[in-house]
Amino acid sequence: MKDLVIAVVGVTGAVGGTMLAVLESSRLPIARVVALATARSAGSSVQFRGENLTVQNIADFDFAGVDLALFAGGEIASADYVPRARSAGAIVIDNSAAYRMCADVPLVVPEVNPEHLRYHRGIIANPNCSTIQMVVALAPVQRKWGLQRVTVATYQSVSGTGKEAIAELRAQANAWSQGAEIPAPKAYPQQIAFNLLPQIGSFDAEGFSGEEIKMIKETQKILDAPQLPVMATCVRVPVFYAHSEAVQFQTEREAEPGEIRAELSRAPGIKVLDEPQSGIYPTPLQAEHQDLVLVGRIRRDASIEKGLAMWVVGDNLRKGAATNAVQIAEKMAEMQLLG
């Protein structure tokens, strides 16, 4: 395969910057990286493998000659520029929600459904951060024992919202520690420091938030299980990095917690930390800056037949976004679907 020209869109954002860092250690053969962002960031510089890259304005950029475009901006940017990149011949891996539920766009987690990559038409969607870590943990269970039902409550860090939210939590916590007036919220509808917000995205008429709907529909699509009942409650918490999830699930065939523990220990992309009597279980701080999904607290749920529960933690900027996108590209290269 030839060396690739790769464009990173939204390179100055939290996910885009992480995407650039993940690319630095990628197995992909890279000829050149192009850094793209909106006019507000154009002219600034970012570093890649010791070289300063000047950030270009995506509005003026011609994608001709780009082999792979990694989009880390929002839905509006993706809706505007993904078709242009694809028309110029680039394969697009998009981190926004703009194309995830399109029938002809694969929604891929490489450890779970890499075979879906064969059916792409120039666009591959990167799933939602909270969905990715959950399906990495659920897929081995589904393959061996089947799934009848999934319920999840999430504890999602502020970095999932972006740099402004990280700064907001830091400013509010600093003000509190100094006895000063806590700054009014801007990134969130209410204060996030020392608080929990059971709202991620806007609410629909039935009271579900946007993030909850994403987790439900994306899980069903990725697992090829459109009828699988999934229930989600998504909560923003005052943690800087890494999302945590309390996942309860019901299997089709009987499974013991020890069997689940052993199966997940063998599964790709997972690290089992499950000795709670010794204080060993996943936490957000342990998950920061790594690409594995951490799983612990695996136990039986006696409230329902064939019920089990587990605690799942992952770095939302890495495996939940940037790393998964780069891993999609690496898997495509391995499958000879690039270049």
Side-chain angles (χ1 to χ4, degrees):
M1 190 178 75
K2 69 168 188 172
D3 288 355
L4 302 170
V5 175
I6 301 176
V8 179
V9 179
V11 72
T12 56
V15 173
T18 306
M19 214 170 259
L20 204 62
V22 174
L23 276 174
E24 285 204 348
S25 57
S26 169
R27 314 192 294 268
L28 289 169
I30 300 173
R32 182 165 59 95
V33 168
V34 181
L36 299 173
T38 60
R40 184 176 61 181
S41 299
S44 62
S45 65
V46 293
Q47 277 214 333
F48 180 73
R49 293 181 177 172
E51 178 185 353
N52 283 328
L53 306 180
T54 300
V55 178
Q56 301 181 49
N57 186 352
I58 188 173
D60 305 325
F61 184 72
D62 183 357
F63 281 91
V66 171
D67 300 296
L68 178 66
L70 302 177
F71 273 70
E75 291 180 47
I76 294 174
S78 292
D80 286 345
Y81 299 114
V82 164
R84 202 171 84 188
R86 180 171 65 168
S87 296
I91 291 175
V92 174
I93 300 173
D94 180 38
N95 193 63
S96 82
Y99 300 95
R100 289 175 186 161
M101 299 314 298
C102 294
D104 62 346
V105 175
L107 183 66
V108 175
V109 178
E111 297 95 333
V112 179
N113 61 336
E115 67 280 359
H116 290 189
L117 291 168
R118 297 193 182 280
Y119 312 116
H120 81 84
R121 298 183 181 181
I123 303 174
I124 299 95
N126 205 30
N128 184 51
C129 47
S130 50
T131 304
I132 289 173
Q133 66 186 64
M134 185 172 76
V135 297
V136 167
L138 284 176
V141 177
Q142 183 200 37
R143 283 191 285 264
K144 187 153 187 176
W145 293 282
L147 287 172
Q148 290 193 71
R149 183 173 177 270
V150 176
T151 301
V152 58
T154 71
Y155 307 76
Q156 296 182 225
S157 68
V158 297
S159 56
T161 305
K163 288 183 174 180
E164 297 82 3
I166 296 171
E168 184 162 302
L169 173 57
R170 183 172 288 115
Q172 290 177 352
N174 285 342
W176 179 89
S177 68
Q178 296 166 16
E181 183 178 350
I182 294 178
K186 294 180 181 178
Y188 296 115
Q190 298 184 47
Q191 176 183 316
I192 185 61
F194 315 105
N195 203 10
L196 302 176
L197 305 181
Q199 175 184 1
I200 303 180
S202 57
F203 291 109
D204 68 7
E206 295 185 351
F208 285 86
S209 72
E211 188 85 354
E212 291 160 357
I213 293 168
K214 289 175 189 176
M215 287 200 76
I216 292 166
K217 293 184 176 180
E218 292 178 21
T219 298
Q220 292 168 334
K221 181 175 179 177
I222 294 165
L223 295 179
D224 275 329
Q227 303 305 315
L228 177 66
V230 180
M231 179 62 184
T233 300
C234 295
V235 183
R236 189 72 69 188
V237 300
V239 168
F240 286 110
Y241 301 100
H243 294 346
S244 303
E245 299 171 346
V247 183
Q248 295 167 286
F249 55 98
Q250 184 181 16
T251 57
E252 291 177 348
R253 295 173 292 281
E254 193 71 41
E256 294 297 326
E259 294 177 303
I260 299 289
R261 199 173 291 114
E263 188 68 18
L264 295 184
S265 295
R266 293 188 291 265
I270 293 174
K271 182 176 183 179
V272 173
L273 299 171
D274 196 13
E275 298 176 38
Q277 295 86 353
S278 302
I280 297 173
Y281 43 74
T283 68
L285 286 177
Q286 290 170 299
E288 271 188 42
H289 311 307
Q290 67 165 290
D291 299 323
L292 295 174
V293 173
L294 310 182
V295 182
R297 299 292 317 280
I298 300 167
R299 61 203 189 279
R300 181 160 298 286
D301 176 3
S303 70
I304 191 169
E305 185 181 3
K306 300 173 189 169
L308 295 121
M310 60 184 171
W311 177 249
V312 180
V313 184
D315 187 318
N316 54 292
L317 294 183
R318 291 189 68 92
K319 183 54 183 171
T323 297
N324 198 74
V326 174
Q327 288 173 335
I328 288 172
E330 291 173 341
K331 179 60 71 172
M332 293 182 75
E334 181 186 314
M335 297 168 69
Q336 300 183 343
L337 298 174
L338 278 180

